[in-house]
Amino acid sequence: MQLNTNTLGGLALLCLSLTSYAEILPEAEVGIKIPLVKKPTTRPMTVAYLPGNQHYYIADGGLAPMGTEFEAPISKSEVHAYTGSGQYVNSAKPGFDNRSLYYNANSNKLETITYNISTAAGFSPNTGIFSLEVNDKGEVLTSSSDISQFNPAFGDAGTMPSYDPATNHYYAKQEHGNLVFVVDAKQREKLKEIKLDFSKAQVAYDDVSDHFIGFTGVAGNELALLDVDHKAVLIFDLTGQYVGKSALPKTMKLRSHNHFNGAGYSNGMLFVYHENEGEFGTYYGFKVVK
């Protein structure tokens, strides 16, 4: 039997689609471990990766002290730089209560989203989205630039939004539930809501990360949510449909704070803070989709 060119083309496309199909790993694979070499200044929040210098950046988050006539109400939280192999480089205090830290491929900048970006808890200084400066050695600096001021579209004060550079959209998980707001920072109202199918995933809202959901960039498996109580990573698509899960090591001892901080998604990995390992805790980077 002879195959015409249309049939051959169709077979080629089928083969391509099969080979490019994203697989959820039944058991998460450790891609990197980053032991913290100094005590977090406040709470260890999230992790970003800059592909240009192949460095990781870990942001602490904590409220600023009350201002006085001698001191401005600026957060003491630091951002810490590590090499691609997890070696400590330096720390700096840009002055933000960091909640999300991410690489923006459009601006080629390291950017941070602060606590209370929506001003749901009332207005406070240094609130919004900012870019952080990094030098040629990969060291994080104290200097920064404004990108966007407060925006009510982000919802909860404590949300830790993830960023999609292809659409320029943010995915902001709302606390105490299954809602994720899709946000364009240039608009003052959310674009839409995604309702995660917790019933199919067999979890309750208090089993999972309260403020963070990772954007993977993998079609059909875009959203990654840490299931703290069952030690797993749950994968959802952009309609909120549950796709599958990847189990974390049973030896990990996650604590109550893992519901609220110590998470991130960068360099193709979901990061989880493991407080029990090392003097100041260790960040695990898990590959959950390939």
Side-chain angles (χ1 to χ4, degrees):
M1 180 180 66
Q2 290 188 331
L3 298 176
N4 61 36
T5 54
N6 288 336
T7 304
L8 289 172
L11 288 173
L13 289 173
L14 176 60
C15 291
L16 179 62
S17 65
L18 289 175
T19 55
S20 62
Y21 177 75
E23 174 191 358
I24 299 174
L25 299 175
E27 295 185 357
E29 298 176 356
V30 178
I32 189 172
K33 291 199 295 184
I34 305 178
L36 303 188
V37 301
K38 63 181 297 186
K39 185 178 180 180
T41 42
T42 44
R43 295 189 296 171
M45 294 301 300
T46 190
V47 181
Y49 177 77
L50 291 189
N53 61 24
Q54 298 181 337
H55 279 49
Y56 290 97
Y57 297 87
I58 298 175
D60 297 339
L63 292 174
M66 294 295 292
T68 68
E69 60 180 312
F70 304 107
E71 186 176 18
I74 296 175
S75 175
K76 298 182 183 297
S77 297
E78 292 185 336
V79 178
H80 316 274
Y82 289 80
T83 67
S85 60
Q87 301 300 308
Y88 176 72
V89 177
N90 85 310
S91 300
K93 191 185 299 179
F96 302 113
D97 180 1
N98 308 287
R99 281 304 181 266
S100 289
L101 193 69
Y102 60 95
Y103 167 65
N104 187 332
N106 297 309
S107 65
N108 198 31
K109 291 282 190 177
L110 181 67
E111 297 181 358
T112 183
I113 298 177
T114 69
Y115 172 75
N116 198 30
I117 183 173
S118 64
T119 65
F123 179 77
S124 57
N126 285 5
T127 299
I129 305 176
F130 302 86
S131 65
L132 306 181
E133 298 299 324
V134 174
N135 67 18
D136 292 339
K137 298 179 181 178
E139 297 171 331
V140 62
L141 307 178
T142 58
S143 50
S144 61
S145 301
D146 290 4
I147 295 176
S148 175
Q149 296 301 310
F150 66 90
N151 188 332
F154 283 92
D156 290 331
T159 188
M160 300 166 63
S162 293
Y163 177 68
D164 175 11
T167 62
N168 213 27
H169 291 166
Y170 295 88
Y171 296 91
K173 185 180 182 300
Q174 304 300 293
E175 62 186 13
H176 306 329
N178 66 338
L179 290 182
V180 177
F181 289 179
V182 183
V183 179
D184 181 334
K186 295 180 180 179
Q187 299 188 33
R188 307 292 288 177
E189 295 183 359
K190 60 181 179 289
L191 299 178
K192 64 178 180 179
E193 294 180 356
I194 299 173
K195 293 184 178 180
L196 305 176
D197 190 347
F198 279 2
S199 60
K200 189 173 180 182
Q202 298 183 330
V203 292
Y205 77 86
D206 52 359
D207 291 331
V208 304
S209 178
D210 210 27
H211 297 141
F212 176 79
I213 193 163
F215 178 78
T216 69
V218 178
N221 299 275
E222 290 90 351
L223 302 177
L225 179 65
L226 176 63
D227 181 351
V228 179
D229 287 13
H230 301 105
K231 295 181 183 177
V233 180
L234 309 177
I235 305 297
F236 299 84
D237 67 15
L238 289 180
T239 68
Q241 180 178 346
Y242 172 70
V243 183
K245 68 178 179 179
S246 186
L248 298 179
K250 292 182 171 52
T251 53
M252 291 194 80
K253 296 180 180 179
L254 301 183
R255 297 185 174 180
S256 59
H257 64 71
N258 287 108
H259 289 277
F260 310 108
N261 57 278
Y265 197 97
S266 60
N267 199 21
M269 292 178 284
L270 182 88
F271 282 84
V272 180
Y273 178 63
H274 193 217
E275 185 177 9
N276 299 336
E277 185 172 338
E279 185 177 2
F280 304 116
T282 297
Y283 267 95
Y284 273 71
F286 288 106
K287 298 178 181 179
V288 295
V289 179
K290 70 174 183 179

